[in-house]
Structures are given as structure tokens and as C-alpha cells.
Amino acid sequence: MKTKVGIVLSGGGARGIAHLGLLKALEDLNIKASHVSGTSAGAIAAAFYAAGYSATEILEILKKGQIFSFSNLLIKRQGLFAMKGFHDIYLNCFPANTFEDLQIPLYITATDILKGELVYFSKGNLSSAIMASSCLPLLFQPVEYDGNLYVDGGVINNFPIEPLMGQCDIIIGSYVNSIKKEVDKVGMNNILDRCFHLAMKSSVEQKTLSCDFYFEPPNMSQFSLYNLKNADEIFNYSYQYALTLEDQIKALNIQTD
């Protein structure tokens, strides 16, 4: 009997490219998820994966569209960016633009900023859910969808394993925000990033106990959150690290037929 495999992908800005290294390693082993859950950058990668794109195809789409950079952003009067610049990219890649048209079930996490609640999207308008989940606060205007205002799902839950619990035989988790602990100094532009991920670390660590396989490439803080110039380097770094864990993945004894 085919094993039901759930994959959860964390947020992480441009570091989300590292998820693709793991997905490529799983492809090499003919392992395909039956369910996928993601937040922020992980939601973007998860959506393309659920639509049937390969890891290398997703990499090229993200690089060409500059999804994690600023070239597609529109400045608004409030001094914040708007995410509508990405809308056409998503519509081009997801013509039906619905969860229901995807090849596998997808769960996208976002934060309802007015209610202070976490929301899991799994049906309806796909591009709106992706933009809501990846709307970094203090950088983007909140995304309005169905009368509510949303920001990045990682604000409340940067490792949304919950929708997969009870639905999958095996859960694979990918977290791309490992922090180098032995540092002499931290630049001002890295302080917010470092504080944010240090604050989330304990809640994420607790959830990793529910993963049958947990993937966390070391020292990801060497890569920028907001710049795709190292996209190929991040992908290759992650892929090579995933290859070192191939025996652990095979030990899961995932049945693919």
C-alpha cells in the first residue's frame, strides 16, 4: 500500500529556496507527498509543488519572477510595499487559481491581523492565499481577502505541521532558518531576522518531535532573507545536504507504489 507522506515547509524568505533542495532529493528517490503544508516562503514552494512543478522548475520560476526580491513590488503612500506585483506571476503558473485544481491537497497558513488568529487556507482562491501567507509585516501592506486583513503566517506559526497530523503515515518537515550560534558580531540589518527566528525556535523544536524525518540545513543565516542572488547556491547547498541524509530517508521505508 502506498505510504501517505505529508511535507511541511517553514517560512524563511529567499532561504525558502532550500526547501527545493530537499524536494529534489525526494524526487530522486521517487517520493511524492500526498499532502503538503506551508507558510510564507514555504507556502509559495508548497503551492508550486502541489500543482505538479518539479523542484528545478520551481527554482527557475522563482528566479525569473524574482519572487523573493523587490523588483515586483509597488510602493504605496503609506511607505509599505504591495504584493499585487506578484499576482500575474501566480495567475500565469496557476491558470485555474484554485486549491481544488491542484494535484495534491495543500494547506496554506496566514495570520488574520485584526483578529489575531491563525488561518489555514485549503480551498478557494489560491493566489490570494499565497500572497496573504507571504505578506511580511512592516514591509508589505496587509493583504485583504474576503473582508479580512492578513499578514505572514509565520508570525504565529512558522512550522504548520498541524493540518497534516492524523492524515499522513509519514511526516517530513523542512525548516530553513537555522542560526549560526558562534558569531562575534551581528549587523544591524540582521538583528531583526536573528531575534525573530530565535523567538520561534522553541515552538518549532517542539513540533519537530512529530516529524518522522526533519530537515534543517545548518547555518542558513549566511544567506539573505530578501535577495535571490544566491538562489542557485542555496539550492545546491540544500540539495547536497539532503543527499547526506539519503540513508535516513530510505530508512523511512516509504512505499511509492
Side-chain angles (χ1 to χ4, degrees):
M1 183 180 294
K2 187 174 181 179
T3 306
K4 292 183 179 179
V5 178
I7 300 179
V8 53
L9 307 178
S10 75
R15 296 171 192 153
I17 295 290
H19 292 311
L20 305 181
L22 172 63
L23 295 179
K24 175 67 168 69
L26 294 176
E27 287 174 11
D28 292 349
L29 296 171
N30 195 32
I31 295 173
K32 180 78 173 178
S34 61
H35 300 75
V36 62
S37 174
T39 192
S40 196
I44 296 171
F48 282 102
Y49 178 81
Y53 290 95
S54 70
T56 52
E57 287 172 339
I58 299 170
L59 176 63
E60 292 307 312
I61 291 169
L62 298 184
K63 285 165 54 181
K64 183 178 179 181
Q66 290 291 296
I67 295 290
F68 298 123
S69 294
F70 294 107
S71 59
N72 279 299
L73 307 183
L74 306 172
I75 292 279
K76 294 297 185 178
R77 283 177 299 179
Q78 299 93 325
L80 298 176
F81 292 105
M83 300 204 72
K84 291 184 178 178
F86 298 119
H87 192 245
D88 289 345
I89 298 173
Y90 295 139
L91 288 185
N92 184 56
C93 295
F94 311 116
N97 197 28
T98 66
F99 282 82
E100 289 79 4
D101 195 58
L102 298 172
Q103 294 184 11
I104 60 176
L106 167 68
Y107 302 92
I108 286 180
T109 305
T111 301
D112 185 324
I113 196 61
L114 297 182
K115 297 178 182 177
E117 296 176 351
L118 194 68
V119 176
Y120 296 109
F121 294 107
S122 59
K123 59 184 179 181
N125 189 296
L126 181 60
S127 62
S128 292
I130 297 172
M131 290 189 290
S133 180
S134 57
C135 181
L136 289 169
L138 305 181
L139 181 61
F140 294 105
Q141 284 187 311
V143 171
E144 184 174 355
Y145 177 45
D146 279 351
N148 298 308
L149 291 177
Y150 296 98
V151 297
D152 196 303
V155 170
I156 296 180
N157 187 350
N158 203 35
F159 196 71
I161 193 174
E162 291 82 357
L164 305 180
M165 302 294 287
Q167 295 202 72
C168 307
D169 304 311
I170 295 288
I171 294 181
I172 295 173
S174 180
Y175 185 74
V176 296
N177 299 296
S178 58
I179 294 173
K180 185 178 181 181
K181 295 183 179 180
E182 300 80 19
V183 294
D184 298 322
K185 59 182 179 179
V186 180
M188 287 298 295
N189 60 332
N190 293 324
I191 288 177
L192 182 60
D193 167 34
R194 194 170 179 85
C195 289
F196 181 60
H197 291 111
L198 283 171
M200 291 189 298
K201 187 69 174 170
S202 61
S203 65
V204 171
E205 285 179 343
Q206 188 63 34
K207 294 182 186 183
T208 64
L209 299 177
S210 297
C211 293
D212 298 279
F213 175 78
Y214 178 62
F215 180 74
E216 183 179 333
N219 191 20
M220 286 298 294
S221 54
Q222 67 182 296
F223 301 113
S224 168
L225 272 172
Y226 310 114
N227 198 317
L228 272 179
K229 67 179 181 180
N230 298 119
D232 289 322
E233 182 182 352
I234 295 172
F235 176 79
N236 290 323
Y237 176 77
S238 171
Y239 177 57
Q240 292 302 320
Y241 179 68
L243 292 181
T244 69
L245 305 175
E246 188 171 303
D247 287 345
Q248 293 182 37
I249 298 173
K250 289 180 178 178
L252 297 172
N253 196 29
I254 295 172
Q255 303 300 313
T256 57
D257 298 319

